[in-house]
Amino acid sequence: MRGQHSMGKQRITVCLPPVGPEGLKQAIGQAMDPFWYDREDRPRPDWVGEWSYWFVSGAGCLFDVLPGHEDDPRLVRYDDWTEPPEDLPPSRCHGGPRGILDFDTPRAAEARRAGDTWTAYRAFSDRHPPALPFHHFAERARTLDPEHAREAAVTAFREQPLIRAIESDPALEERFGSDPSHHFDEDLEAYVTRHMAAVLPTAALLTLDGRWVEGGGPDYERTFNSYLDGLPADTMVVRVLYHS
């Protein structure tokens, strides 16, 4: 599963056979090497690599440590990218053995947050006439002069009482988003499941058998979660920042 991406920095979750702290960077390098832009032994003429340089770094997507394992020396606590390095609490890390990383606690926290948000939105929206999503108005305005079509669609969308009520309160707009009828257009279970699945994935995943998997959306997120959940406990799982 490969996708086109623009130049910039992204994160990949690298999965490695068991390796100690002294050999970690070499192991990451060996796993990443086949996807280097400048490799000389190109596998085919039209081959294009994935990265030009990389750093161990999980800033913004750190892992939780399973309680009771905070002192395990195999946990990755340094960050090659952030300067000065972030002083991590014992409960957080950039990587470590799969068996002592806590995937369930952050997913459960997101499930509670998402459930609360969905319930609050439904309670708030029930006090107003049902609102249509923006794409309904965009589709309807397609018959207009292109120069005025979007403006007309935005105006009609924002005239809906529910949208007016949300836009009048910045806290509500931040919580429910600018197109809530579209965002919350699913039942509670589906909404919570979708948000839970988005907690762990990075833009790409490098598997134990050397596959670079990337994409986005529900299918990729399901693949990412099920793959990490199924890894042997001693597999090293590390967040890496790469320039693409």
Side-chain angles (χ1 to χ4, degrees):
M1 182 162 35
R2 303 294 293 279
Q4 297 297 318
H5 49 68
S6 57
M7 301 292 282
K9 294 184 182 69
Q10 302 191 76
R11 278 192 170 79
I12 184 169
T13 301
V14 178
C15 304
L16 304 164
V19 58
E22 69 287 339
L24 179 64
K25 285 193 181 180
Q26 182 181 0
I28 294 174
Q30 289 173 346
M32 294 283 285
D33 274 352
F35 305 98
W36 184 32
Y37 275 132
D38 296 327
R39 64 176 282 186
E40 294 178 2
D41 56 332
R42 294 172 177 264
R44 59 181 190 275
D46 63 344
W47 180 87
V48 178
E50 298 286 354
W51 62 271
S52 55
Y53 57 83
W54 59 266
F55 301 91
V56 172
S57 174
C61 55
L62 296 167
F63 287 118
D64 284 28
V65 178
L66 202 63
H69 296 272
E70 293 86 353
D71 296 327
D72 194 300
R74 296 170 297 172
L75 291 171
V76 183
R77 297 200 180 277
Y78 61 86
D79 186 329
D80 287 335
W81 174 250
T82 306
E83 188 62 45
E86 185 181 4
D87 188 17
L88 297 183
S91 61
R92 307 278 273 164
C93 67
H94 301 283
R98 155 70 185 94
I100 62 172
L101 300 179
D102 184 357
F103 297 158
D104 290 335
T105 296
R107 288 192 289 217
E110 177 59 18
R112 288 191 296 273
R113 188 207 64 77
D116 289 347
T117 301
W118 187 95
T119 303
Y121 172 73
R122 287 302 168 100
F124 184 82
S125 64
D126 283 349
R127 307 204 303 262
H128 300 83
L132 292 166
F134 177 74
H135 67 75
H136 168 84
F137 299 94
E139 188 68 26
R140 203 170 66 181
R142 286 178 63 182
T143 57
L144 303 176
D145 179 342
E147 194 174 326
H148 304 293
R150 179 169 178 81
E151 182 183 348
V154 169
T155 299
F157 170 73
R158 296 178 68 179
E159 283 175 350
Q160 300 179 99
L162 173 62
I163 304 304
R164 280 207 309 267
I166 290 174
E167 288 186 344
S168 69
D169 185 333
L172 286 178
E173 190 169 18
E174 182 177 354
R175 188 176 193 191
F176 298 149
S178 59
D179 193 2
S181 305
H182 172 71
H183 189 60
F184 292 94
D185 185 25
E186 54 196 336
D187 63 31
L188 174 60
E189 183 180 359
Y191 182 86
V192 169
T193 299
R194 177 167 61 85
H195 282 264
M196 274 180 61
V199 171
L200 290 178
T202 45
L205 170 70
L206 185 51
T207 66
L208 275 175
D209 58 354
R211 290 176 296 121
W212 184 292
V213 185
E214 63 181 41
D219 289 343
Y220 170 73
E221 289 169 349
R222 277 193 294 270
T223 297
F224 189 106
N225 280 282
S226 62
Y227 185 80
L228 260 61
D229 286 339
L231 287 171
D234 58 358
T235 303
M236 284 296 290
V237 183
V238 185
R239 303 292 207 193
V240 170
L241 179 72
Y242 69 99
H243 183 269
S244 63

